Each structure stands twice: as C-alpha cells, then as structure tokens.
Amino acid sequence: MRNRLINFGLLMIVLLTSACGRGNTTEPVTFMVFGEPAELKAYQDLVDAFQKLSTDIAIELIHIPSQGDYRKRLTADLVGGAPADVVLINYRNFSGLALKNAFEPLGPYLEKSSEIKYEDFYALPMRAFSINDQVVCIPQNISSLVTYYNRDLFDVAGIPYPNDSWTWDDFISAAQALTLDTNQDGSIDQFGAGVEPDFIRVAPFIWQNGGKLSSERTLTLTDPLELEAVQWFVDWQVKYHIVPGAVEEKAESSESRFMNGRTAIYFNSRRLVPTLREITAFDWDVAPLPVGGSEFTILHSDAYCLTAASQHKEAAWTFIEFVNSVAGQTIIAQTGRTVPSLIQVAESDVFLDPKAKPEHSRVFIDVIPYILRLPQQANWSDIEEICNEELQRAFYGNATVTEAMQSAVSRALPLFTENE
Amino acid sequence: MLTPYLLGAALLVGVPALLSLVLAFIRYDGISAPLWVGWFNFRIVLANPVDLLFPISLYNTLYFIILAVPIRVLSALALALWLNRRGRGVGLYRAAVYLPTIIPDAAYALIWMWIFNPLYGPLNLILTALGLPAPGWLADAEFAKLVFVVMAAFQIGEGFVVLLAGLQNIPPEYYAAAAVDGGSTWQQFRYITLPLLAPWLLLLTLRDIILSSQNIFTANFIMTNGDPYYSTLFLPLLIYEEAFDRMHFGPGSAMTVLLGIVTAALIGFALSSVGNWGETDAD
Amino acid sequence: MPIKQSTTRRTARAVGFHVVSILMSALFVLPLIWMFAASLRQPGLPPPRTIEWLPSPLMWSNYVRVFQILPLGRYVLNSLFVAGAAVPVTLITASLAGFAMAQLSRRGQDRLMFLSVILLIIPTTAVWLARFILFRGLGLFNTHAALIAPSIMGSSPLFVLLFFWSFRRIPLELYEAARMDGASPLSIWWRVALPLSASTIVVVSILTFLLYWGDFVTPLFYLKSQTLYTLPVGLRQLQELDRTNWPLLLSGSVVMTLPAVLLFAIVQRFFLQENRLTGIYGQ
C-alpha cells in the first residue's frame, strides 16, 4: 500500500520533470537578446537570414524586454548553470561577468576567421570588450548618446533645428520655448525635453565640462567642474522645468511623451530608431548633443558573447561570425537598430542613406572621434546603480546636487576597493 | 499516506530553511566555489558604515507592518461583525469584501499603479475634484509606502472569513443569556464576543505579521523597485536584489535570517502583550 | 432589548444596513471597475482629465493588441497547464495527508497540527535562495516542474488542514462499517471520505488553481525560455515593453483577472454563504 503510493509519487515527479519543456535541449543554439518589439524584429530578421544559410544549425531566440530585468535574468541563468549560448550584453555589464570568466574569449576565434578581422572594426568598442588586450566579445555597434527631436514642434514654434554647433545655452532656450501649457489649465502639456535621469545620460556633460568621472580609487563627482555639469543637468528639471518632474514622469514616461508628439527633444542612443521608425504622426531627426566646453558623448555598445558554459561553442561561433560579417551587420543596420561596428558597413549607404530615417544618421559617424567610454571595472553596474539613485534624488528636487554627489562618492568608495 | 506531504515539506521547506541558515555564513556567488566566512556577511549587512540599505529596508518593512496589520485585522473584524447576520444579499456583500483578495498579484499591482497614478489615475482625479490635496503617491517618498498599506487594506478576505467562522462558532445561547440578564450590545461584545474571538484574532494578527513582510514582494517589484530613493525598498526586494542582481547569496541569506529574527521578535511582542487572552478556547 | 420593535423601525434598520453594505461593497469592487474602464481607452491619447467610467471610443482592439505584442496566448496556456497540473496532485497529496491525520490518535493529530502551523508560518523568503540552489542542483531550472513542485506537498498546509477538518466530521460509524467490510485505508479514503467532502474538494481545487495562476515569484526565478512563461511574468514583460501604456497594461491585467473572478464566483458559495461556514472550517 505504502509502496504503491511512493511509487506513484515518484512516477509523478519523473513525469513532471521530464515532460515539461526544457529551455536547453541538445539541438538549438540559444541566443538571448533584450530590446523593444521593433528591436526584437531586427534580431529575428538576422536569425532568419542565418537559418537560410546554415540549415544545420538551429537558433532559438530568447527575448527579455528590459535591460534591468535582462541583467537579473542573465545572472540567474549563470547561477543556474544553464545560460544561453550566445548573449547580447552591454559593455557596462560586461566587465563584472567577464572577470568571473562567464564568457569564452572570442579573440582566438576571430584570429582564425576568414570572414572577419580585428582591423575591420572600429577600435573603441573592440577595446571596450577586451580584457587585458584579449578580445572577449564581438561588439555589434558603436552607438552613442544623441539628440532626437520632433521637427514639427520646432516648426510650429519657429525655432531652428539643433545642429553641430548647438551649445548648452542654445539647448536650454530652445527647450524653454518648447515647453508649453497649450490649454491654459495650469499644467504643462508639452515639454521641451525628456531624458532618463540616469548616470549614463549626465556623463557626457561631465566630460564636456572637463570632468573625468572617476579615478582608480574613487568617483570624482564632487570635483567642482563635475558638480557644475551635474548641476546644469539637474537644473533642466529643478530650475528650468523643461523636463517632466517626478509626478509627471511617473504618470507618463518621457519616452512615451516623445513618441506621442508631446515632447520636442529626447536624449537616447541609436537603439530607439526601430521604434521611432514606426511613428507616422510627425517628422523627426537626430542631432549631436549640445556642446559644452567640448563635444564629448558616451559610448553605447552591445556585443555578442559566447558563454563559457555553452555546449555548442563551434556552432555558436558560426552564428556570431555571421552576424558580425558584412552580410549580418547589413541586415541589422537596415532595421535601424545599430551604428555598425564594421567600418565598411557604417560608412556605406546601408547605414547613411538619408531616405531611411533619421535623415542625418551621419551624425552617429561624425561623433565617433568624440566618444568616450566608461571605466572597465568589475562592479561598475553596482556603482552605476548608486549614482542613478543619487542623481534621481537631486534631479527631482529632493536633495541638493552637492549632497547627492557626496553621498554617491562615499557610497561607491567600498566598491572600488572590494576584491571580488 | 502522509509520506508525500511530509517528504515534500521536508524537501521544499525544511531543507531549504536549514540551507538558508548555512548560506548566511558562506560567501557564494553562484559561479565560483563557496567559501566559509563566518560572521562576515552579518557584519557587512548590519554594520556597513556607508551603505545603509539593510537598516533602511528594515525600517520600511516595520513601518509597513505596524500600519498595515492593525488596519487589516480591525477592518476584518469590523466587517465580520457587520456581515454576521442573515438576510438577502449578505452573501453578495461578503463576496464583494473577498473579491480583491483573489485578484492575482501581478494584475493587482498594475491596477493600483493606475489608481494611484498621480496625474491621471482616478484617485487623484477625485481628490482634485473635491478640492483636496492630491499627493504624488508613488512618485513621492513621503507617501509611497502608504500606497502599499492601502493595497494591503483591501485584501482582507481571508481574515474576514476566519473571523466570520469564529463568530459563528459562538453559541447563540450565550447572547440570549446575556440579553436576559440585561446586557447591552457593547457589553455583549466586550464580555462574550471579544474573549471568544481572541484566539482567532491573535492567530490572524500573527499570521498577518509574518505574511505582510513577504507578500509585498510582487507589488514592490512591479510598482516601484524601491524608488523613490529607497523609500519603498522592502526587505524581500532587497534580499532578491542582493542575491539575484548582485550575486551575493551570502549577505542575502544573512538578511533572510535577520528578517526571520525580527519577525519572531514581533510575534513574541504580540504574544506577550495579549498573553492571558489566548488561554481560553471556545471548545 | 424590547421584544417587539415597530415595523418601521425594523425596516429602517434593514434599509440602513443595506445602504451601508452596498456602499462598502462598491468600494471593494471599484478597483476592478476602474481596471476594466481604463483598459478600454485608446493608448497614446493625452490621458484623461476627469474620471472616465466608460471611455469613448471603446478600444476593444487593446485586447487584440495585447495578444499581438507578446505571445500572451501562449502564456495563458502555460498558466493553465501549470495550475491545471497542480490541482490534481494537490488534491491527492493534501487529502491523503488530511485523511491520515484524521486516523491518528489525538496526540498525533496535535503534533501534526503543530507542524502544519509551523510550516504555514515559515515565510517563503526564508527558502527562496536555498530552494533556488536546490532546484538548480536537481536540474529543475527552466522547467514547469519547478513551478508545480510545491503541489507534491499539498501546496499549502492549509489545504491539508481543510481536508483534515472535513474528514473528521464524517461519522465514525461510516469508517467502521467500511473497515469491517475489509476495505484498505486507501480504499476507505477513495470510497468513503472523498465523496463526502465534495465541497472541500471544490474549494481546495479552486484555491489551488488561483494560487498557481497568480504565482509571480517562482516563474520569475526559474523560467528563462519565453515559450515557458506564464501570465504573471508575461504581464511584467508587457510592463517592461511600455512602462506607462496603462490601457494596454490593464488589458493584460483583465485577461489575467477574469478567470480568477469567474472561479471565485463559483467557489464563494461554499465558504461565504451563511450556514456553510462552519461546514468548511469545522469545530
């Protein structure tokens, strides 16, 4: 009696464990990406093209919409011992994982490849994904922070479009003129600008003002030039009110407002383009960031990494090689998602065609000499999180910039000396 | 017959609970090998001079428990007393009270995010229309925690049913006898209802204290993720982030252990302050 | 209290009771109404400045869109599968355990009751991390089995107790009679105890279903493949796609909440209507 029951129970357990779908069967190479639906479509096109060429390798696409959740997902997967074979990863999250040997260095594969060579790529993103001069992952893009703007709203207000020599002051006065209470009800219906009050958004302005963000031992955000830049950024909300405040942002995000034509300027990187291309209600274009003491902007780059735990390294490399060849990068560049890391593709009409929006994609190439990247540090993402929280506190008027930056510096201090 | 239950409980609850205790003394990030570090995890969680996330989240969690639990228990009691009668429609009223409780957590969080939307949600629209101040709710550090309290206050279905059952267990003869002796409604409540209901109330309060501190995770994760500026960083979220975001299983487990200790302390406090009430039983 | 009250006074009290009860019920039902109303707005419009009880135009297309943006249909099926698989397993293990408990001596029953209460009290946060590592070791990562696993122990000690109370109320003579006929315990469980506990079976089935239907944490921890996602994490994915697209998010919420409400409509009869209360919760 008892035995029968135990057997029954065990049978149930076995059935349940084996019958339910496992993500990693022996066949397909799993490829994990993040991004909005329009971006996802870009990757799907890529996978489809690859499948046509290599019919014996199956690719399973896994999609996580947000980067925040993506990082947790990747962490859980690595801990779970069953990560995807190929993962797309941002260079800011890269170092911590690479230093834990989560990835199989692709440098040796690259050297043996007949399709692609190190020299074919822009050097900056390659360096961002190298550890001790060895290439670990292959970057797909050399994107940066730029200014998106709604042409129609500028036309209506009679303000000239942003251009290469647009200064900080030009930006502020334009945004002020574009912040309107259209129905006279006391609350702002159209904002001049929108931005996520994140550390990576303020970093370019800190560099432009002569700051350096961090030294080997600490963040340098409390240096006068850096404080000045942060203050100017925070003033967008606190002083000039050209961007939504905490309440407005919570009610409707800046990105949503821009998409729906209720904000004139929005700061983001190239990855927004596929989603922007779906807009039919108004005309939009791109311009470099407003210029301060210099023209710096910040690197945004994602790379294809091969996880060390992968069971299909050769097949996965074939896929990675394809997506980073001229053919692969062309496909994804056509969707608008990337500023290709292959020099040949970036400078071709595939990317630069003025008939494909944004008309001035040229901007992304022109700023390349001015792109700076964040430090490569094991716990950089933790440091960034702290900075984000402190920056937001100041941005929404709940603390002075000095207080917030001092707090950020002291809170991040242990992370610089932590030996992980 | 008991085997699946006991075995399952051991495997799914017992073993992990013990493992958690052990993990608290280990440094483990899921990838590299584990390493015994003694009290180190507890020290960095409690005594980190610069990053006070644990004390902040402990404060937030206690704030929530101290507000939410009494509100829930008292509301459940009030509603149980009110709806403890026959009549047409009473069943429907009871169902209405229970309704918010069955809404799945993820959907529940999104609904309240909308209701508490500071510019466009129905609540602030009503407040503005009435000329009352309309706070920023989840966008305002002063009010954000209250959102969670309100959400918890609506989900009193289970407590309501338990107390209702408790009330119906009281033999009506007691009340009849009291009425004959000339007792008023209040006296009946004070000397018959309350003492007989006391064990149920106590159980409910204890259970609420324990569950409140952890059921908040889903709503927390979906609605604020700790913002603004950690004012809604509750302990389950911090534990999750520590373990799954930063891959610090050791400190995460240490925090879990500490949470357990704090909960036990709260229970002890609750028990001791109503000590002698728990001894009488209707049976 | 005077024995005879004037009819008008009695009617007034009844009316008063109903008015208050209706208002109170409306309050509890309001979040659901608002959720449904807001889900029908056109996304992308400047949000409303006054409360919209019913938007115009009524965008039923939101419900279509929400299934197009994400494979929500797939997620619904997955949720149905997980919850549907958990119910029979739970019924079997919980009723077996409850039955075994009902056969024990008084002391044995007390001990098991004590154990069950302890189990109910252990917060799930305490076992999160350790269970994750344990499941990983068992190879349950990224499987539905990890989600269904708790059903092996009856999903919740509460369900075991519900069956225990239900079986305890069955007159001993029935058990005796079956035993004298030479029936085995299993057969008594199947032929005598279960058929007489129909209402408990219904209640436990539906409560179990709701438990797994709304489970957010387990899929969050364990599921990686999008094809395996269940509704709760699907809703989270929806939120991450368009953080403030309230009509869309609430459409997804309605999809998730509707089955729960329907099931609740069925089961609430059993434990909210008047005299059945003592039936479920026992003495």
Side-chain angles (χ1 to χ4, degrees):
Chain A
M1 184 48 46
R2 265 203 127 130
N3 291 335
R4 280 216 299 196
L5 223 47
I6 295 178
N7 288 340
F8 174 63
L10 286 173
L11 181 63
M12 289 297 298
I13 296 177
V14 168
L15 278 177
L16 284 173
T17 16
S18 57
C20 312
R22 282 173 181 273
N24 266 351
T25 56
T26 45
E27 283 316 317
V29 169
T30 45
F31 170 40
M32 189 158 99
V33 300
F34 53 83
E36 303 183 11
E39 292 176 62
L40 175 62
K41 171 128 191 355
Y43 295 114
Q44 263 160 358
D45 289 347
L46 203 57
V47 169
D48 291 340
F50 177 74
Q51 304 268 229
K52 281 207 205 72
L53 290 177
S54 307
T55 45
D56 54 340
I57 301 179
I59 308 280
E60 181 190 330
L61 188 60
I62 300 174
H63 172 240
I64 315 285
S66 91
Q67 279 222 38
D69 278 5
Y70 187 84
R71 199 158 65 95
K72 294 192 185 68
R73 170 84 280 138
L74 188 56
T75 309
D77 289 355
L78 287 167
V79 169
D85 299 294
V86 181
V87 296
L88 191 67
I89 197 159
N90 192 290
Y91 79 102
R92 288 148 37 221
N93 297 326
F94 159 78
S95 334
L97 293 168
L99 290 168
K100 283 200 179 60
N101 300 316
F103 305 124
E104 174 87 11
L106 292 176
Y109 290 83
L110 185 61
E111 271 167 50
K112 285 187 287 183
S113 164
S114 49
E115 290 275 326
I116 48 179
K117 294 192 308 297
Y118 185 94
E119 298 73 35
D120 297 339
F121 295 87
Y122 286 103
L124 181 62
M126 289 300 258
R127 281 203 301 270
F129 286 99
S130 303
I131 304 268
N132 295 331
D133 288 332
Q134 183 189 55
V135 174
V136 179
C137 303
I138 311 276
Q140 68 166 352
N141 57 359
I142 179 168
S143 171
S144 52
L145 188 67
V146 293
T147 314
Y148 292 98
Y149 62 97
N150 181 328
R151 274 188 167 157
D152 295 352
L153 291 181
F154 271 77
D155 290 339
V156 163
I159 303 177
Y161 300 149
N163 57 24
D164 292 359
S165 44
W166 220 39
T167 65
W168 283 14
D169 291 334
D170 293 335
F171 161 65
I172 297 287
S173 42
Q176 279 176 313
L178 288 161
T179 303
L180 305 166
D181 175 4
T182 46
N183 54 10
Q184 307 297 322
D185 66 346
S187 60
I188 299 180
D189 308 290
Q190 176 183 305
F191 280 95
V195 72
E196 283 140 28
D198 282 344
F199 187 61
I200 52 173
R201 299 288 187 248
V202 74
F205 301 112
I206 295 179
W207 283 323
Q208 285 187 10
N209 209 39
K212 54 182 165 59
L213 290 192
S214 69
S215 68
E216 250 182 47
R217 315 240 87 223
T218 178
L219 289 174
T220 51
L221 297 172
T222 42
D223 291 353
L225 289 176
E226 309 204 17
L227 277 180
E228 194 180 48
V230 177
Q231 184 67 60
W232 178 74
F233 182 79
V234 164
D235 281 344
W236 295 4
Q237 203 285 114
V238 161
K239 183 164 155 198
Y240 303 112
H241 303 291
I242 51 179
V243 295
V247 165
E248 285 102 358
E249 185 76 26
K250 190 81 187 176
E252 190 184 4
S253 65
S254 282
E255 186 167 311
S256 171
R257 289 174 194 270
F258 184 77
M259 293 293 179
N260 289 307
R262 289 197 284 282
T263 290
I265 297 168
Y266 186 54
F267 295 98
N268 209 310
S269 65
R270 179 80 184 181
R271 63 179 288 238
L272 198 60
V273 168
T275 320
L276 285 175
R277 282 185 179 173
E278 292 177 349
I279 295 177
T280 50
F282 58 87
D283 194 17
W284 57 276
D285 202 354
V286 76
L289 290 180
V291 169
S294 41
E295 297 168 55
F296 294 123
T297 179
I298 183 174
L299 177 69
H300 282 273
S301 183
D302 318 292
Y304 292 88
C305 293
L306 178 57
T307 49
S310 166
Q311 306 286 316
H312 317 102
K313 295 208 169 90
E314 284 303 325
W317 167 250
T318 315
F319 178 64
I320 295 178
E321 191 183 34
F322 170 73
V323 303
N324 287 301
S325 65
V326 172
Q329 289 216 353
T330 301
I331 294 174
I332 203 157
Q334 277 165 344
T335 66
R337 165 72 177 80
T338 56
V339 182
S341 54
L342 274 178
I343 303 177
Q344 179 186 347
V345 182
E347 300 199 341
S348 74
D349 259 355
V350 169
F351 175 71
L352 293 176
D353 183 7
K355 287 198 292 301
K357 294 197 84 64
E359 191 184 316
H360 288 90
S361 287
R362 178 92 240 161
V363 163
F364 287 98
I365 306 294
D366 291 341
V367 298
I368 287 181
Y370 303 104
I371 300 182
L372 294 179
R373 65 180 172 97
L374 294 167
Q376 197 176 67
Q377 236 173 285
N379 32 29
W380 182 258
S381 21
D382 294 337
I383 296 175
E384 226 181 81
E385 246 180 66
I386 291 176
C387 293
N388 286 347
E389 289 287 332
E390 297 296 342
L391 183 63
Q392 273 170 38
R393 199 160 66 118
F395 196 78
Y396 292 125
N398 296 317
T400 64
V401 166
T402 320
E403 262 173 28
M405 292 302 105
Q406 273 171 350
S407 175
V409 170
S410 53
R411 286 179 64 196
L413 202 53
L415 293 173
F416 278 83
T417 52
E418 200 177 54
N419 262 340
E420 281 279 86
Chain B
M1 285 198 176
L2 281 171
T3 325
Y5 175 52
L6 292 176
L7 198 63
L11 191 63
L12 291 170
V13 182
V15 169
L18 288 171
L19 194 56
S20 271
L21 200 54
V22 172
L23 270 178
F25 295 96
I26 285 183
R27 171 202 278 187
Y28 184 51
D29 62 3
I31 302 181
S32 354
L35 183 70
W36 182 267
V37 289
W39 294 101
F40 178 71
N41 293 328
F42 287 94
R43 260 186 281 136
I44 57 174
V45 162
L46 286 172
N48 189 328
V50 191
D51 222 13
L52 300 169
L53 288 185
F54 181 75
I56 290 177
S57 66
L58 183 61
Y59 168 75
N60 290 339
T61 313
L62 285 173
Y63 182 108
F64 173 74
I65 293 178
I66 290 175
L67 270 186
V69 172
I71 291 179
R72 282 166 55 99
V73 173
L74 291 174
S75 315
L77 180 61
L79 286 168
L81 288 168
W82 179 259
L83 291 176
N84 181 29
R85 68 179 79 194
R86 304 164 158 274
R88 283 185 307 182
V90 170
L92 279 174
Y93 299 140
R94 291 181 188 165
V97 169
Y98 203 93
L99 200 56
T101 316
I102 53 108
I103 300 178
D105 287 345
Y108 196 64
L110 289 174
I111 297 175
W112 285 102
M113 258 183 112
W114 165 249
I115 295 180
F116 276 105
N117 187 312
L119 284 185
Y120 313 127
L123 179 62
N124 270 9
L125 289 179
I126 294 179
L127 289 176
T128 322
L130 290 176
L132 293 169
W137 299 119
L138 292 171
D140 187 340
E142 303 273 310
F143 288 89
K145 286 192 267 288
L146 290 178
V147 172
F148 293 93
V149 174
V150 170
M151 287 173 67
F154 268 74
Q155 286 191 316
I156 50 174
E158 286 171 348
F160 170 69
V161 168
V162 166
L163 289 178
L164 207 49
L167 281 175
Q168 299 200 339
N169 262 342
I170 300 177
E173 301 88 61
Y174 288 22
Y175 291 115
V180 162
D181 283 348
S184 70
T185 328
W186 167 250
Q187 282 173 320
Q188 287 181 20
F189 177 72
R190 171 90 177 75
Y191 294 109
I192 302 177
T193 317
L194 214 47
L196 289 176
L197 214 49
W200 298 102
L201 279 171
L202 186 63
L203 196 62
L204 200 59
T205 309
L206 296 184
R207 184 168 167 272
D208 239 35
I209 290 177
I210 294 160
L211 291 186
S212 292
S213 59
Q214 43 164 4
N215 282 355
I216 206 175
F217 176 77
T218 304
N220 197 358
F221 186 80
I222 289 185
M223 294 172 87
T224 64
N225 216 37
D227 294 328
Y229 199 64
Y230 310 118
S231 62
T232 56
L233 182 66
F234 296 105
L235 269 174
L237 185 66
L238 182 60
I239 293 174
Y240 170 76
E241 282 184 0
E242 199 62 31
F244 291 94
D245 213 3
R246 293 172 225 142
M247 299 214 274
H248 297 155
F249 277 86
S253 298
M255 286 192 234
T256 310
V257 170
L258 288 170
L259 174 60
I261 294 178
V262 167
T263 314
L266 277 174
I267 293 181
F269 173 73
L271 277 175
S272 66
S273 52
V274 293
N276 51 349
W277 279 32
E279 268 149 29
T280 54
D281 194 314
D283 271 315
Chain C
M1 240 183 276
I3 299 168
K4 218 165 68 172
Q5 287 178 325
S6 68
T7 333
T8 42
R9 253 187 99 189
R10 251 186 297 145
T11 327
R13 290 177 96 101
V15 168
F17 168 72
H18 282 287
V19 165
V20 172
S21 300
I22 290 179
L23 285 175
M24 178 206 66
S25 304
L27 182 66
F28 278 90
V29 177
L30 214 48
L32 283 145
I33 297 177
W34 279 336
M35 163 179 68
F36 186 62
S39 73
L40 292 171
R41 284 204 92 237
Q42 188 178 339
L45 279 185
R49 277 325 197 139
T50 53
I51 303 187
E52 266 185 346
W53 293 101
L54 217 52
S56 62
L58 280 178
M59 297 286 287
W60 295 101
S61 57
N62 286 345
Y63 285 93
V64 177
R65 176 119 177 92
V66 95
F67 279 91
Q68 286 171 334
I69 269 193
L70 283 179
L72 213 68
R74 173 105 226 189
Y75 299 164
V76 169
L77 287 175
N78 286 339
S79 281
L80 280 174
F81 171 71
V82 169
V87 168
V89 179
T90 302
L91 283 178
I92 293 176
T93 44
S95 64
L96 278 176
F99 182 69
M101 225 168 121
Q103 309 296 312
L104 291 176
S105 65
R106 180 70 200 221
R107 256 211 356 212
Q109 288 180 352
D110 283 348
R111 275 205 227 121
L112 272 177
M113 174 87 87
F114 183 68
L115 174 70
S116 299
V117 170
I118 296 282
L119 284 175
L120 267 175
I121 283 184
I122 293 183
T124 40
T125 31
V127 300
W128 273 355
L129 308 187
R131 210 190 262 193
F132 182 78
I133 295 178
L134 193 66
F135 277 17
R136 176 180 64 153
L138 289 173
L140 293 180
F141 194 68
N142 201 37
T143 62
H144 278 157
L147 274 60
I148 304 179
S151 63
I152 295 184
M153 62 171 266
S155 297
S156 165
L158 177 66
F159 300 151
V160 173
L161 289 178
L162 284 180
F163 275 113
F164 168 58
W165 283 321
S166 170
F167 292 149
R168 207 166 53 149
R169 279 196 320 277
I170 297 174
L172 284 171
E173 304 85 59
L174 288 174
Y175 289 134
E176 283 308 315
R179 242 193 294 270
M180 298 229 262
D181 282 348
S184 65
L186 201 61
S187 153
I188 300 180
W189 166 75
W190 182 256
R191 273 186 248 274
V192 177
L194 278 184
L196 289 173
S197 312
S199 54
T200 310
I201 292 181
V202 172
V203 170
V204 170
S205 301
I206 293 187
L207 287 181
T208 306
F209 187 87
L210 291 178
L211 192 66
Y212 287 86
W213 178 259
D215 185 12
F216 178 74
V217 177
T218 331
L220 181 72
F221 281 17
Y222 296 104
L223 291 185
K224 178 186 70 190
S225 295
Q226 204 175 315
T227 45
L228 293 181
Y229 273 15
T230 53
L231 259 184
V233 284
L235 225 57
R236 165 65 172 176
Q237 219 185 2
L238 196 61
Q239 183 194 25
E240 288 297 311
L241 281 176
D242 204 342
R243 231 182 330 130
T244 52
N245 189 340
W246 303 112
L248 209 62
L249 295 178
L250 292 173
S251 307
S253 302
V254 169
V255 169
M256 189 170 175
T257 309
L258 205 57
V261 172
L262 291 174
L263 284 175
F264 172 68
I266 299 174
V267 80
Q268 54 90 24
R269 263 195 310 136
F270 292 97
F271 62 99
L272 288 178
Q273 302 298 354
E274 323 194 6
N275 300 319
R276 316 251 195 148
L277 269 166
T278 45
I280 292 297
Y281 283 90
Q283 246 33 69

